[in-house]
Amino acid sequence: MTPLPVVLAHALPELILAGGVLLLILIGAIRGKDSDGPMTELAVGLLGIAILTLVLGTKTQAVLFDGSFIDDAFGRFMKVLVLIGSLVSLIMGQTYLAREKIDKFEFPILILLSTLGMLMLISATGLIALYLGLELMSLALYVIAAFHRDDVKASEAGLKYFVLGALSSGMLLYGASLIYGFAGTVNFTGIATALHGETSLGVVFGLVFLTAGLAFKMSTVPFHMWTPDVYEGAPTPVTAFFASAPKLAAIAITMRIMITAFAGIKPQWQQIIVFISILSMALGSFAAIGQTNIKRLMAYSSIGHMGFALVGLAAGTETGIQGVLAYMAIYLVMTLGTFAAILSMRVNGVNVEQISDLAGLARTRGSMAFFLAIMMFSLAGIPPLAGFFAKWYVFNAAIQAHLYPLAVIGVLCSTVGAYYYLRIVKVMYFDDPAPAFDRPTPTLAAVLIVTGLAVLLLCVYPGSFVEATTVAARSLF
């Protein structure tokens, strides 16, 4: 049994969130009111404390709970990103939820529960721990997708996400059972030892089904079909949350399981990852061109970016993992900034979502247009913004691993994808003005400015950031 001081030193963020959720449920039940009240502030405080414990806490590596949970530099790096994504999403959504009269106290609790599942998922070192973390994350996501119960689109989004999510869970469980059947263990290290570099057909089948379940959570092709509808139908703060934290957790566990459990059969999983990566980059680049709704466009954008990130994983090297970590950190910043702008799209108190509503924004809201344009240039990967370096890291890793066709396809898809990002910039700066947006809230304006400056300055002072990704990637090998 793991001693309590060791548990406190290495699993404190999870314990803080678990205890905080119970406390918030108790407070909500006692208050007996529908309004959010101080619950969001309390949830933000808990997330902030969890981040501080990760940043200021122990830097050593430890395996807890009978080998099912690991605390290492890789996990800490991804957990900090996930917690930042959850915290900022929660802050950005508060005003929106109040305006729509859906600021129930359950919302921050569900965000905390989902985040707790993500932290468990990132630290999972066994198939059972993986499944528990994944389901804890997903069940809360199903509920918040349909949180606006009176809205038909939100209800449809929640139902669609739940049905397809249940299907993906079934595939993941089937794959896990096949792997357990052939390896005789659910522990990642044990699976790696059992395989010994020898591949059986059953293990490959298990790997395919397991990857399918994880691909659904990353919203990569061919398991992406839920993404555009759920992004469009769910309340915008929920969409911002979907586009940030859960994707980071899903790609983190995908990296961990491929590198630690299936390192001996790298050629087999490499083919699967390359296949998913190419399809995601292609679909994300081409399917977004015809979109008129900016939330649907961001859905296809997220699919494409997951494909780009997987280019680094396909390399299967320390450099590749470092590239993925850098990519996801930069992607998080760009996504939060873009959704801060989308949440600010209101005309006379009514939310608008069409790209045409951005027409002439440079003349009506010049600063908002400037920072949103920075986000679009960065998402397109145009130098010297951070998005360019994100793609440079993963393509460089692919070239070092001699995956030249994958890198070339990635560059071509990135070029195609640049079209729809630049189209938004063109609409904002060259089209005749549409009705001016309402003044954005200070919170959304602050998020947009901070993320915009981060995208601008990351290329100037990359030292600490690169060092952090290097240490995190090294701990996985």
Side-chain angles (χ1 to χ4, degrees):
M1 186 175 176
T2 310
L4 182 60
V6 178
V7 172
L8 289 176
H10 294 281
L12 193 54
E14 287 81 1
L15 294 174
I16 289 171
L17 292 192
V21 165
L22 295 176
L23 180 65
L24 292 189
I25 291 174
L26 187 63
I27 293 173
I30 292 173
R31 289 176 72 242
K33 295 178 181 177
D34 287 337
S35 65
D36 176 272
M39 304 296 268
T40 298
E41 289 79 358
L42 291 172
V44 168
L46 289 168
L47 291 168
I49 294 171
I51 293 173
L52 287 178
T53 59
L54 281 168
V55 175
L56 304 177
T58 179
K59 303 300 178 192
T60 57
Q61 180 170 317
V63 178
L64 315 175
F65 308 123
D66 293 326
S68 61
F69 181 98
I70 186 170
D71 177 38
D72 57 2
F74 173 80
R76 286 191 289 273
F77 184 88
M78 293 303 290
K79 285 178 186 177
V80 168
L81 295 182
V82 163
L83 288 166
I84 290 173
S86 302
L87 188 150
V88 177
S89 300
L90 209 47
I91 292 174
M92 289 198 304
Q94 193 175 17
T95 306
Y96 179 99
L97 296 174
R99 284 171 178 160
E100 296 294 317
K101 302 188 188 314
I102 51 173
D103 55 333
K104 312 294 184 186
F105 76 86
E106 293 91 345
F107 186 79
I109 293 174
L110 288 166
I111 293 284
L112 285 184
L113 272 175
S114 181
T115 307
L116 175 61
M118 293 176 211
L119 301 192
M120 292 170 60
L121 185 62
I122 291 170
S123 280
T125 54
L127 295 173
I128 294 176
L130 182 156
Y131 184 71
L132 289 176
L134 194 76
E135 285 304 296
L136 182 56
M137 174 185 83
S138 303
L139 289 173
L141 294 180
Y142 300 147
V143 179
I144 61 173
F147 203 73
H148 201 333
R149 290 183 303 177
D150 297 330
D151 186 90
V152 176
K153 279 189 172 181
S155 301
E156 181 186 343
L159 184 61
K160 188 174 288 185
Y161 191 35
F162 172 70
V163 171
L164 294 175
L167 178 65
S168 77
S169 289
M171 288 192 288
L172 187 141
L173 271 181
Y174 183 61
S177 65
L178 279 174
I179 293 166
Y180 171 68
F182 282 91
T185 176
V186 294
N187 188 274
F188 292 169
T189 309
I191 293 170
T193 306
L195 293 180
H196 283 302
E198 297 178 5
T199 313
S200 70
L201 192 60
V203 171
V204 174
F205 264 100
L207 181 61
V208 169
F209 278 102
L210 187 76
T211 310
L214 296 173
F216 179 88
K217 299 303 176 189
M218 293 186 288
S219 69
T220 50
V221 180
F223 303 99
H224 65 286
M225 64 293 287
W226 61 274
T227 315
D229 293 340
V230 173
Y231 270 46
E232 184 183 4
T236 307
V238 175
T239 308
F241 181 59
F242 277 10
S244 53
K247 283 180 179 292
L248 270 67
I251 203 163
I253 190 60
T254 306
M255 286 191 282
R256 188 184 290 284
I257 195 170
M258 294 302 174
I259 299 299
T260 59
F262 299 108
I265 56 171
K266 179 180 167 183
Q268 280 72 31
W269 64 255
Q270 198 175 38
Q271 293 177 43
I272 301 172
I273 297 297
V274 168
F275 175 74
I276 293 175
S277 175
I278 290 175
L279 289 184
S280 300
M281 288 189 294
L283 184 127
S285 299
F286 285 96
I289 290 175
Q291 301 303 319
T292 56
N293 183 294
I294 195 163
K295 286 168 70 178
R296 287 188 75 87
L297 184 142
M298 288 304 294
Y300 285 107
S301 168
S302 76
I303 294 169
H305 279 287
M306 288 303 104
F308 289 120
L310 288 178
V311 170
L313 176 57
T317 61
E318 188 178 317
T319 307
I321 298 300
Q322 183 193 356
V324 180
L325 293 173
Y327 196 102
M328 294 311 297
I330 294 169
Y331 169 78
L332 175 70
V333 174
M334 297 186 298
T335 300
L336 292 175
T338 304
F339 272 96
I342 294 173
L343 281 163
S344 302
M345 291 173 61
R346 291 173 60 83
V347 178
N348 298 325
V350 178
N351 298 313
V352 293
E353 298 176 353
Q354 297 302 308
I355 294 173
S356 58
D357 294 318
L358 290 165
L361 186 66
R363 277 172 271 180
T364 54
R365 293 280 175 205
S367 59
M368 180 180 168
F370 173 73
F371 285 106
L372 183 56
I374 288 175
M375 293 300 161
M376 293 298 107
F377 282 125
S378 185
L379 284 167
I382 292 175
L385 300 173
F388 166 76
F389 290 98
K391 288 179 180 171
W392 185 85
Y393 283 128
V394 292
F395 292 156
N396 182 48
I399 290 170
Q400 288 184 16
H402 306 293
L403 297 173
Y404 302 115
L406 181 62
V408 171
I409 292 171
V411 172
L412 293 175
C413 289
S414 182
T415 307
V416 174
Y419 167 77
Y420 57 82
Y421 295 121
L422 298 182
R423 181 164 63 95
I424 293 177
V425 177
K426 174 255 177 190
V427 168
M428 289 193 297
Y429 278 86
F430 297 106
D431 284 9
D432 293 332
F437 291 159
D438 300 346
R439 183 175 294 280
T441 64
T443 304
L444 293 176
V447 172
L448 184 56
I449 292 171
V450 170
T451 52
L453 293 176
V455 166
L456 280 172
L457 296 177
L458 196 60
C459 56
V460 181
Y461 302 105
S464 302
F465 174 67
V466 173
E467 185 181 348
T469 57
T470 304
V471 172
R474 191 176 300 147
S475 71
L476 207 56
F477 290 85

